[in-house]
Amino acid sequence: MDHQNAHSVSVAGVIIDDQGRALLTQRRDNGHWEAPGGILELDEDITTGLLREVHEETGLDVEPVTLTGVYKNMTRGIVALVFRCKVIGGHLTETDETRSFRWVTADEVRSLASEAFAVRVLDAMHHDHTPAIRHHDGTHLL
């Protein structure tokens, strides 16, 4: 395989509470607000990777409800699968990767997160049963 043309696959869980708010995590490495998630390991299936990443970053156990979007970072070659999730256990806990959490409305998502990451959360919050397919440059939609 030509590694210059290789892609990686990431997963993210947009956790929605009973009031319709989404959980955002603030990353320790860059301070950005995003839904919890990360790169799938080569030997793990999509659901296992999603559950692992969400738990590692939040301390929460979740159940994926539905796939809400597929997003490609055209600059870095990362394809992200984003799922709407609900909490089934655990407790919010700061980790090595996250320093803060906020339950936010759609308007708050727009003000906290960059366009490329906000749209993932907004698509999950307003999911209409058809997954969104979007492309971005790491910051802005293309």
Side-chain angles (χ1 to χ4, degrees), residues 14 16 22 24 68 71 82 84 104-111 114-115 117-128 134:
V14 178
I16 306 293
L24 291 185
T68 57
Y71 308 83
V82 179
R84 183 179 180 136
V104 296
T105 64
D107 287 339
E108 292 169 315
V109 171
R110 287 182 189 94
S111 67
S114 70
E115 181 182 38
F117 289 92
V119 72
R120 299 174 187 199
V121 177
L122 296 170
D123 286 344
M125 293 177 87
H126 305 294
H127 183 61
D128 67 0
R134 302 185 191 273

Side-chain angles (χ1 to χ4, degrees), residues 15 51 54-55 58-63 86-91:
I15 304 164
L51 301 179
V54 170
H55 186 76
T58 67
L60 296 175
D61 299 316
V62 298
E63 178 180 311
K86 65 180 182 180
V87 175
I88 58 171
H91 301 284

Side-chain angles (χ1 to χ4, degrees), residues 2-17:
D2 177 1
H3 290 287
Q4 291 181 358
N5 291 317
H7 287 77
S8 64
V9 179
S10 71
V11 290
V14 178
I15 304 164
I16 306 293
D17 71 5

Side-chain angles (χ1 to χ4, degrees), residues 5 15 19 29 40 42 44 50-51 60-61 78 83 86-87 90 97 101 103 110-111 128 137:
N5 291 317
I15 304 164
Q19 298 169 12
D29 61 353
L40 282 177
L42 191 58
E44 73 185 341
L50 173 67
L51 301 179
L60 296 175
D61 299 316
I78 300 170
F83 295 84
K86 65 180 182 180
V87 175
E97 298 180 42
F101 306 98
W103 290 99
R110 287 182 189 94
S111 67
D128 67 0
D137 63 7

Side-chain angles (χ1 to χ4, degrees), residues 63-106:
E63 178 180 311
V65 176
T66 189
L67 175 70
T68 57
V70 178
Y71 308 83
K72 182 176 179 187
N73 181 326
M74 300 298 288
T75 305
R76 297 184 61 204
I78 300 170
V79 176
L81 308 173
V82 179
F83 295 84
R84 183 179 180 136
C85 298
K86 65 180 182 180
V87 175
I88 58 171
H91 301 284
L92 276 177
T93 307
E94 289 182 18
T95 70
D96 292 342
E97 298 180 42
T98 56
R99 66 176 171 197
S100 189
F101 306 98
R102 283 182 67 177
W103 290 99
V104 296
T105 64

